[in-house]
Amino acid sequence: MSTPVIEEVTKHDTSSLIAVAGHPIHAMLVAFPIALIISTLGCDIFYWYTADPFWTRAALWASGFAFWLGILASIAGTAELLLVPGIRKRAASWNHAVVAVTLISIAGTNWGLRIGDAEAAVLPVGLCLSVLASIFVGLAGWHGGKLVFDHGIGIMVSSKD
């Protein structure tokens, strides 16, 4: 007995080309920038509450690593989008890509703002950018989840199942 999701997945090839042992690299990498963007927001809130400059330094590092690891994850995701026709043909893939590129732009702006004077950058602009980036993490995750759960992107389907 086959489900509609399995039928859809097997109709169009959605096999990951950028993978290790069948596991998509993009899916493995996105956890890091997600966690670091949320960490940047946490650091900004703690700085706002405590005025301890430690949190501005932590936010500077978290935002920088969020940006660069986001770039790395986006390279793997873009390669999948462009190289796999079953991924490229879905509107949800393009929605996810647009939201993710916007997120990386926000993360880069947030980091760049902090490089000169991390303490002065937090309130109010850095905090607002951290909140905005966290919202876009949710949006990108929503669209990425739709790709996995509704379209079967990145899952391994065997004819034996």
Side-chain angles (χ1 to χ4, degrees):
M1 183 167 121
S2 184
T3 66
V5 171
I6 300 300
E7 288 174 13
E8 178 67 20
V9 170
T10 56
K11 185 170 34 171
H12 303 285
D13 183 25
T14 58
S15 301
S16 180
L17 295 178
I18 314 299
V20 175
H23 300 282
I25 291 175
H26 175 70
M28 290 188 275
L29 291 175
V30 295
F32 297 104
I34 290 168
L36 289 163
I37 285 168
I38 301 303
S39 296
T40 304
L41 175 60
C43 290
D44 288 350
I45 291 169
F46 285 139
Y47 174 71
W48 187 20
Y49 183 72
T50 66
D52 184 346
F54 163 79
W55 295 112
T56 63
R57 291 189 311 275
L60 171 67
W61 284 95
S63 63
F65 276 104
F67 173 69
W68 288 108
L69 291 171
I71 292 288
L72 191 61
S74 73
I75 290 169
T78 301
E80 292 284 15
L81 177 67
L82 298 177
L83 296 174
V84 180
I87 296 173
R88 190 173 57 240
K89 76 174 221 85
R90 289 170 167 80
S93 300
W94 293 97
N95 292 338
H96 176 67
V98 168
V99 171
V101 167
T102 304
L103 171 59
I104 291 170
S105 300
I106 295 166
T109 302
N110 201 4
W111 176 56
L113 179 71
R114 296 164 190 269
I115 290 175
D117 185 357
E119 201 166 335
V122 174
L123 297 172
V125 179
L127 178 60
C128 290
L129 285 171
S130 294
V131 168
L132 186 60
S134 296
I135 291 168
F136 270 82
V137 161
L139 292 171
W142 176 271
H143 289 292
K146 287 189 73 58
L147 288 170
V148 172
F149 298 115
D150 293 351
H151 300 284
I153 305 295
I155 62 172
M156 296 185 286
V157 178
S158 170
S159 60
K160 298 174 188 176
D161 290 339

